[in-house]
Amino acid sequence: MRPDARLERVLATLALTIIAVISLANVVVRYVTNASFAFTEEFSVFLLVVLTFAGASVALRRNGHIRIGLLERALPWGPRRALIVFQWLCGAVVLSLIVWFGGKLTWDEYQWGSLSPGLGLPQWWYLAWLPLLSALMLLRLTQQTFDRLRGGLDDES
């Protein structure tokens, strides 16, 4: 069975669907009334970030990110395992930094009571998704690494 990230797939599907619906509604309203909805750009940008991070998480779980595997395939199993662990460590450090600083930024925005420029919604509502989805990516990266170390995932498929 192919590894999956169902939660992230659902989030990405919802984000893409909502972007399509509000964009279409905005086009129709603009065509009919010569005015447009104020919220569509702000929501679309926010949902595009959710879509990007959720999609990246799904790709991690399915071993679908682009990687140059020439060195990895050329190495014997022992050094290959070390390289896989090193790759995980690099990814884990980056994602952990995003989780940490994204969480800190979200908390700061919550404490400051900052509002979004377009709609005046609390800014932390938008920012909270960054550390949450990065943490999910870290989980999926770890799952993928364990699968690769067990020989369960192949770059050739």
Side-chain angles (χ1 to χ4, degrees), residues 2-123:
R2 188 172 176 176
D4 199 11
R6 184 180 180 110
L7 174 62
E8 293 93 317
R9 275 192 311 115
V10 169
L11 276 174
T13 302
L14 283 172
L16 186 58
T17 302
I18 294 169
I19 289 170
V21 167
I22 65 175
S23 296
L24 176 64
N26 195 36
V27 168
V28 170
V29 166
R30 183 179 296 152
Y31 180 75
V32 172
T33 67
N34 209 20
S36 64
F37 293 131
F39 69 91
T40 57
E41 183 182 357
E42 189 170 307
F43 280 173
S44 293
V45 169
F46 156 67
L47 291 169
L48 191 57
V49 171
V50 170
L51 176 63
T52 301
F53 274 79
S57 188
V58 171
L60 269 172
R61 186 62 187 122
R62 292 181 175 181
N63 199 32
H65 277 281
I66 295 173
R67 177 177 53 243
I68 299 173
L70 180 67
L71 176 62
E72 190 175 309
R73 285 190 296 273
L75 290 173
W77 182 238
R80 183 183 306 166
R81 285 178 62 105
L83 181 60
I84 290 170
V85 169
F86 178 71
Q87 291 168 347
W88 171 83
L89 183 62
C90 291
V93 166
V94 169
L95 289 170
S96 296
L97 286 170
I98 295 172
V99 169
W100 172 258
F101 287 109
K104 186 173 177 359
L105 178 61
T106 301
W107 180 249
D108 287 345
E109 292 291 334
Y110 173 76
Q111 287 182 318
W112 295 333
S114 298
L115 301 177
S116 67
L119 297 176
L121 296 173
Q123 190 71 25

Side-chain angles (χ1 to χ4, degrees), residues 113-133:
S114 298
L115 301 177
S116 67
L119 297 176
L121 296 173
Q123 190 71 25
W124 70 268
W125 288 3
Y126 298 127
L127 292 172
W129 291 92
L130 179 67
L132 291 173
L133 289 172

